[in-house]
Amino acid sequence: MTSRVVVALAAILALLPGNGSAAPASAAAEYEKHFTALSKLSVAVAQAMPPDQYSFKPHPDSMTFSALMSHIATTNYQFCAGLKDSATPPLPSPTDKDGVVKFLSDSFDYCAAIIPSLSEEQMTAAHNSPDGHLPGREVLLAMYVHVAHHRGQAEIYLRDKGIKPPSYRI
């Protein structure tokens, strides 16, 4: 009887989230597994705003929607260039919807080529970033927080225009 209980408990534990699944091979893989969702949702928010509203700003002190989305893209490049200890590549300055969506998408592609290949040493070493000289793990966390913060602002811009933001998904 006791062995049946142990077997049953083992089977139940294996079904719980996080149990029985393989752990990511590295710390960089932990960040990478959430990066696709971060990227897709951010680009979907940029795509949701109509082209004629890219110059919209909800308050005189606010950035335009175009500038807000471009700001996310620019800092993505800065964070990820810092992770590889290199200079930020030359960046465009689009203001139209197609140009901004491409710029944002390209910034996520740039980072997607860097994040999975980060070594444990790069994850612990300090790098320059828009938020200062930080360990790699903190650079990635700062980038994710930065994207989420400004994407949340962009969703308010959408709502101000009567547009339902894309649904959050992991």
Side-chain angles (χ1 to χ4, degrees):
M1 178 84 144
T2 303
S3 63
R4 279 191 234 163
V5 171
V6 170
V7 170
L9 281 174
I12 290 169
L13 288 173
L15 295 175
L16 292 175
N19 290 306
S21 59
S26 67
E30 271 297 318
Y31 287 92
E32 179 189 14
K33 76 180 186 180
H34 296 285
F35 191 73
T36 299
L38 182 78
S39 170
K40 285 183 179 180
L41 182 56
S42 300
V43 172
V45 167
Q47 290 171 329
M49 184 66 88
D52 65 330
Q53 295 301 314
Y54 259 61
S55 61
F56 170 70
K57 56 182 178 176
H59 184 274
D61 293 338
S62 299
M63 289 185 266
T64 64
F65 187 82
S66 173
L68 182 59
M69 295 286 94
S70 291
H71 172 70
I72 294 171
T74 297
T75 53
N76 283 351
Y77 277 104
Q78 292 169 338
F79 279 117
C80 291
L83 284 168
K84 43 183 230 176
D85 298 315
S86 65
T88 304
L91 302 176
S93 299
T95 56
D96 65 297
K97 179 178 180 171
D98 290 341
V100 171
V101 170
K102 181 178 181 346
F103 182 33
L104 184 63
S105 182
D106 288 351
S107 77
F108 284 109
D109 290 345
Y110 178 79
C111 291
I114 294 167
I115 294 170
S117 63
L118 293 170
S119 67
E120 189 56 35
E121 183 179 331
Q122 289 170 302
M123 293 295 285
T124 56
H127 307 274
N128 290 327
S129 81
D131 285 356
H133 201 67
L134 303 170
R137 281 179 179 80
E138 290 185 35
V139 171
L140 286 170
L141 180 60
M143 181 181 78
Y144 282 43
V145 168
H146 181 264
V147 171
H149 168 76
H150 288 301
R151 188 184 62 233
Q153 285 181 301
E155 289 179 7
I156 298 301
Y157 284 43
L158 292 175
R159 289 193 187 280
D160 279 355
K161 289 297 176 181
I163 301 165
K164 183 179 181 217
S167 298
Y168 179 79
R169 58 200 173 276
I170 293 182

